[in-house]
């Protein structure tokens, strides 16, 4: 801004708009319709939600229930947590309850996060440190299912979110239990950006001459009447000079405004307001009371001699609002509002390609593409093939299905990984899109489960004593660089005499008696556990089972379970079966005693027998 205009600008901003009022004998006539101006805002207000303190919880649970108007949406989700100095990182379970299909872009830097979702509703690439948890509970049972996993720290229901920021830091002055309330302010816990298409409306004010335009922002009251500042950014597309415009800001009395505008304009605002280019200065129009209804605000614009309302926006209590307007006040040649211009519908090819994920069986790769998602993305496909173009997708009514055995359609099998490419031709594009797809050839892999009684993992055992520490090793052969297996879960089934002992759950140790050990360079997975020393009734046998999870860069998650039978030995059991170390010790002791006894007898014999005398 030209500094020479600062003084006139201050004068304009501080001037009370005492313009000649237009007669308001009749209600103002102004038919609000969508216009092509854009608005975005950030808010912590949710239609329904709660926040709780759960400081002693081993697992804290956060639930996001999201509703979308489209068959397919894109969502940015960021999870943040401050560094915990000297304290053990909390286990965090984030539950996504979705009613439509979502392409999720997740960021959770440095957070050991478990993400529970229905994989039929979510397409995502998991960041490092984030593990997937299958969500099988329906909406009515979701709360009960979540409570069985840990303590619920927050619940939020959102309508059509575009981006979400979830902070996991403890929130002070929160209740100990989470009971969702309507119109909840989530505070520091959660902020979100909704989709705002069609939110900005405009109209021509009948009976007013001139080219002055009004931009009206109305902020609705929040659930808590506490002081807060709303940052308002206004960008007008004026190329020459400042517009003949007025900015009307109406909100609850506890709201103050920080205005950042790229042009000078008159300002009418409830409460205090400050301007970014004049730091430290606050302005207020004494005795100004703006109406809190749509009709009243339109009348206010007419009273200020505005001939058109270029932007009319109502938003919930927000921390920041950004308005971009294509009109420019007095430079506008027509008072008629600019109606929303239908954009040329273009196919979102990039998002459609993310939907193509292979489903892998023991010998077949299958890809499915639902037609309603293609319609939602405005995409028309002329062909869907593998690398071998003779392998075309089948039209099965509501979806296109592309499938092939691992031995055809250009499949390449290297080190237990099946590779191919999907080629998609769009009617809107001359060049096809290509995407690499992979499957794990499970038939070529084998998994071994072994129990050891020493941390050196030298001699496997099929028995363990109550109160004894066991060392478990799960290995995959042949080892494959592209496949990094992870222990998804392990359990020891002691039924019918005792309950099942959960050892590993969601790739994390379950309890203080289980320790995950460093894996070997060849992908061998290891952990130790301490078997409880006293059980009534005493189990005599059990089944140790471990599930291994594997995923390639472009394939869905694959799991394989391996089990072994164990004998359980009680320390005070009469005639108990000895475990391997005891057997080896007794055997070695018996051998040593026998050897010593033989040596002693030979010594006695050799020193006491009489040798025959030679003849004289």
């Amino acid at each position: 801004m030209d500094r020479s205009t600062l003084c006139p600008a201050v004068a304009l901003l501080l001037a009370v708009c005492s313009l000649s009022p237009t007669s308001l004998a009749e209600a103002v006539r102004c038919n609000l319709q969508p216009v092509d101006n854009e608005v975005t805002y950030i808010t912590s207000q949710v239609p329904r939600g709660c926040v709780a303190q759960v400081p002693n919880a081993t697992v804290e649970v956060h639930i996001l229930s999201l509703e979308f108007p489209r068959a397919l949406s894109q969502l940015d989700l960021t999870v943040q947590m401050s560094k915990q100095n000297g304290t053990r990182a909390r286990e965090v379970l984030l539950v996504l309850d979705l009613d439509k299909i979502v392409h999720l872009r997740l960021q959770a830097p440095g957070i050991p996060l478990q993400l529970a979702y229905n994989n039929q509703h979510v397409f995502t690439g998991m960041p490092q440190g984030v593990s997937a948890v299958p969500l099988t509970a329906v909406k009515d049972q979701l709360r009960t299912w979540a409570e069985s996993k840990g303590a619920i720290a927050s619940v939020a229901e959102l309508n059509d979110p575009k981006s979400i920021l979830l902070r996991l830091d403890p929130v002070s002055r929160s209740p100990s239990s989470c009971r969702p309330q309507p119109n909840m302010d989530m505070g520091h816990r959660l902020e979100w950006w909704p989709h705002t298409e069609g939110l900005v409306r405009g109209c021509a004010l009948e009976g007013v001459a001139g080219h002055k335009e009004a931009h009206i922002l109305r902020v609705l009251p929040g659930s808590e009447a506490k002081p807060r500042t709303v940052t308002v950014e206004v960008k007008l597309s004026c190329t020459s000079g400042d517009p003949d415009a007025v900015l009307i800001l109406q909100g609850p009395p506890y709201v103050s405004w920080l205005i950042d505008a790229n042009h000078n304009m008159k300002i009418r605002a409830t409460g205090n307001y400050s301007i970014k280019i004049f730091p430290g200065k606050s302005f207020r129009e004494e005795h100004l009371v703006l109406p809190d209804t749509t009709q009243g605000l339109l009348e206010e614009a007419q009273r200020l001699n505005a001939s058109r309302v270029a932007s009319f926006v109502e938003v919930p209590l927000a921390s920041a609002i950004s308005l971009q307007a294509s009109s420019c006040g007095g430079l506008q040649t027509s008072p008629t509002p600019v109606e929303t211009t239908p954009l040329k519908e273009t196919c979102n090819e990039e998002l459609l390609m993310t939907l193509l994920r292979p489903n892998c069986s023991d010998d077949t790769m299958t890809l499915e593409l639902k037609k309603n998602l293609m319609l939602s993305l405005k995409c028309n496909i002329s062909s869907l093939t593998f690398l071998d173009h003779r392998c075309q997708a089948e039209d099965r009514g509501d979806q296109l299905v592309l499938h092939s055995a691992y031995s055809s359609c250009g499949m390449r099998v290297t080190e237990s990984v099946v590779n191919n490419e999907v080629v998609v031709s769009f009617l809107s594009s001359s060049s096809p899109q290509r995407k690499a797809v992979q499957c794990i050839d499970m038939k070529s892999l084998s998994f071994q489960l072994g129990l050891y009684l020493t941390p050196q993992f030298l001699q496997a055992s099929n028995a363990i004593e109550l109160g004894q520490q066991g060392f478990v090793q799960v290995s995959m052969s042949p080892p494959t660089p592209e496949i990094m297996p992870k222990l998804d879960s392990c359990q020891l089934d002691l039924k019918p005499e005792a309950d099942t002992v959960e050892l590993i759950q969601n790739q994390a140790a379950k309890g203080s008696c289980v320790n995950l050990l460093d894996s070997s360079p060849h992908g061998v997975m290891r952990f130790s556990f301490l078997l409880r020393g006293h059980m009534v009734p005493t189990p005599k046998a059990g089944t140790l089972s471990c599930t291994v999870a594997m995923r390639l860069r472009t394939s869905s998650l694959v799991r394989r379970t391996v089990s072994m039978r164990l004998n359980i030995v009680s320390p005070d059991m009469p005639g108990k079966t000895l475990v391997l170390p005891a057997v080896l010790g007794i055997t070695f002791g018996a051998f040593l005693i026998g050897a010593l006894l033989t040596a002693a007898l030979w010594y006695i014999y050799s020193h006491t027998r009489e040798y025959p005398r030679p003849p004289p």
Side-chain angles (χ1 to χ4, degrees):
M1 177 180 291
D2 188 353
R3 292 293 172 182
S4 64
T5 63
L6 287 183
C7 292
V10 174
L12 280 173
L13 293 170
L14 295 177
V16 178
C17 303
S18 56
L19 303 172
S20 300
T22 303
S23 174
L24 297 175
E26 296 180 1
V28 63
R29 287 178 293 180
C30 186
N31 184 22
L32 289 171
Q33 296 292 328
V35 295
D36 61 359
N37 295 341
E38 297 180 3
V39 67
T40 58
Y41 64 90
I42 308 169
T43 181
S44 58
Q45 301 285 318
V46 299
R48 186 175 175 83
C50 61
V51 178
Q53 290 191 80
V54 288
N56 300 321
T58 55
V59 178
E60 68 173 55
V61 182
H62 301 266
I63 302 175
L64 294 178
S65 293
L66 312 178
E67 294 185 356
F68 296 91
R70 296 164 295 279
L72 173 64
S73 298
Q74 189 164 281
L75 174 66
D76 292 321
L77 174 58
T78 302
V79 183
Q80 294 180 351
M81 180 168 57
S82 301
K83 292 183 178 179
Q84 302 177 21
N85 297 327
T87 61
R88 181 176 178 269
R90 304 191 303 275
E91 291 186 40
V92 179
L93 174 63
L94 175 57
V95 182
L96 291 183
D97 176 30
L98 306 170
D99 68 334
K100 299 290 192 317
I101 296 176
V102 169
H103 175 227
L104 177 66
R105 297 189 295 194
L106 174 65
Q107 296 183 64
I111 299 174
L113 181 69
Q114 301 172 37
L115 184 66
Y117 61 91
N118 183 336
N119 59 10
Q120 298 299 316
H121 284 167
V122 176
F123 291 83
T124 184
M126 286 295 177
Q128 187 173 3
V130 178
S131 58
V133 178
L135 179 60
T136 56
V138 296
K139 196 173 189 69
D140 293 343
Q141 302 170 349
L142 185 62
R143 174 91 185 202
T144 303
W145 181 88
E147 288 176 338
S148 70
K149 301 297 181 182
I152 296 180
S154 71
V155 175
E157 298 179 6
L158 308 178
N159 295 324
D160 201 16
K162 182 179 182 180
S163 181
I164 301 173
L165 172 60
L166 177 66
R167 299 184 181 93
L168 303 180
D169 302 318
V171 179
S172 60
R173 298 187 300 276
S174 296
S176 58
S177 62
C178 202
R179 301 182 183 277
Q181 302 294 325
N183 301 319
M184 177 68 183
D185 186 349
M186 301 294 288
H188 182 72
R189 171 71 74 202
L190 182 143
E191 288 184 319
W192 66 295
W193 293 252
H195 283 96
T196 55
E197 293 84 357
L199 189 62
V200 185
R201 296 176 294 166
C203 63
L205 291 163
E206 297 184 14
V208 182
H211 303 297
K212 177 180 286 190
E213 67 181 23
H215 297 276
I216 304 174
L217 294 181
R218 182 187 178 202
V219 173
L220 302 175
S223 57
E224 298 181 23
K226 57 183 180 182
R228 63 185 70 205
T229 300
V230 178
T231 300
V232 178
E233 181 185 48
V234 180
K235 291 185 178 180
L236 304 182
S237 57
C238 299
T239 57
S240 59
D242 290 325
D244 186 9
V246 59
L247 177 64
I248 301 175
L249 303 177
Q250 193 277 329
Y254 47 84
V255 166
S256 57
W257 315 87
L258 174 61
I259 302 170
D260 180 13
N262 65 342
H263 287 280
N264 289 327
M265 64 184 74
K266 295 180 176 65
I267 297 173
R268 299 275 282 182
T270 56
N272 296 327
Y273 66 91
S274 56
I275 302 172
K276 190 174 181 180
I277 62 172
F278 303 128
K281 292 185 178 180
S282 179
F283 309 100
R284 183 185 183 93
E285 293 188 47
E286 296 296 337
H287 311 299
L288 174 64
V289 178
L290 290 176
D292 58 359
T293 64
T294 299
Q295 183 67 22
L297 290 171
L298 294 177
E299 291 176 356
E300 181 69 19
Q302 189 179 51
R303 185 180 295 110
L304 297 173
N305 280 345
S307 62
R308 60 189 296 269
V309 175
S311 307
F312 184 94
V313 181
E314 284 186 345
V315 299
L317 189 58
S319 57
I321 305 171
S322 176
L323 175 65
Q324 296 188 32
S326 58
S327 56
C328 195
L331 303 181
Q332 179 73 27
T333 59
S334 171
T336 305
V338 180
E339 301 293 336
T340 303
T341 304
L343 298 176
K344 182 180 178 181
E345 294 184 345
T346 57
C347 169
N348 192 335
E349 297 180 5
E350 180 182 359
L351 184 53
L352 184 135
M353 296 301 290
T354 65
L355 302 179
L356 292 171
R357 296 189 305 178
N359 294 316
C360 308
S361 64
D362 286 344
D363 55 7
T364 304
M365 179 187 294
T366 304
L367 296 101
E368 300 174 347
L369 184 57
K370 296 187 180 298
K371 290 184 179 179
N372 66 326
L373 301 182
M374 295 165 51
L375 183 63
S376 176
L377 294 175
K378 313 295 188 298
C379 293
N380 289 314
I381 293 177
S382 57
S383 70
L384 173 63
T385 72
F386 279 119
L387 192 60
D388 185 344
H389 289 187
R390 294 171 297 179
C391 300
Q392 297 271 347
E394 301 176 10
D395 191 336
R396 297 187 180 176
D398 63 339
Q399 63 182 354
L400 300 177
V401 179
L402 180 64
H403 65 95
S404 169
Y406 294 159
S407 57
S408 61
C409 292
M411 300 284 181
R412 304 180 308 279
V413 182
T414 56
E415 294 186 318
S416 304
V417 177
V418 184
N419 298 275
N420 207 321
E421 279 189 8
V422 176
V423 183
V424 184
S425 298
F426 297 92
L427 292 178
S428 58
S429 176
S430 58
S431 58
Q433 292 278 354
R434 296 174 179 269
K435 179 179 180 178
V437 289
Q438 296 175 308
C439 279
I440 300 174
D441 185 9
M442 297 300 295
K443 285 186 175 180
S444 66
L445 298 175
S446 61
F447 297 86
Q448 298 79 38
L449 173 63
L451 173 71
Y452 301 80
L453 301 177
T454 63
Q456 288 76 32
F457 294 90
L458 298 177
Q459 182 66 47
S461 174
N462 64 353
I464 187 170
E465 189 173 297
L466 292 177
Q468 188 175 23
Q469 189 174 24
F471 299 85
V472 179
Q473 175 175 285
V474 183
S475 58
M476 180 187 77
S477 60
T480 305
E482 287 191 71
I483 304 173
M484 183 56 67
K486 293 184 179 181
L487 275 179
D488 194 57
S489 63
C490 287
Q491 62 181 20
L492 180 58
D493 187 355
L494 299 175
K495 296 177 180 176
E497 291 88 0
D499 294 332
T500 299
V501 180
E502 297 290 343
L503 303 173
I504 296 175
Q505 200 172 69
N506 301 324
Q507 301 182 16
K510 193 69 176 175
S512 58
C513 294
V514 182
N515 292 305
L516 295 176
L517 305 177
D518 292 336
S519 300
S520 75
H522 301 294
V524 176
M525 300 151 284
R526 292 171 171 173
F527 71 95
S528 67
F529 70 96
L530 182 64
L531 188 60
R532 189 152 49 94
H534 180 69
M535 297 185 191
V536 179
T538 302
K540 298 180 177 60
T543 301
L544 178 64
S545 302
C546 286
T547 298
V548 180
M550 296 157 286
R551 185 198 296 271
L552 294 167
R553 183 174 53 88
T554 61
S555 71
S556 55
L557 190 68
V558 179
R559 291 181 172 88
R560 183 57 55 92
T561 301
V562 59
S563 304
M564 67 176 295
R565 191 72 175 165
L566 294 179
N567 294 319
I568 309 298
V569 181
S570 174
D572 55 358
M573 182 187 299
K576 67 179 181 180
T577 303
L578 298 177
V579 294
L580 185 61
V583 173
L584 293 177
I586 293 173
T587 302
F588 179 74
F591 169 78
L592 186 61
I593 292 172
L596 292 173
L597 182 59
T598 301
L601 291 175
W602 177 253
Y603 178 84
I604 295 172
Y605 171 74
S606 62
H607 285 75
T608 57
R609 71 172 181 165
E610 294 184 2
Y611 293 94
R613 297 179 181 179

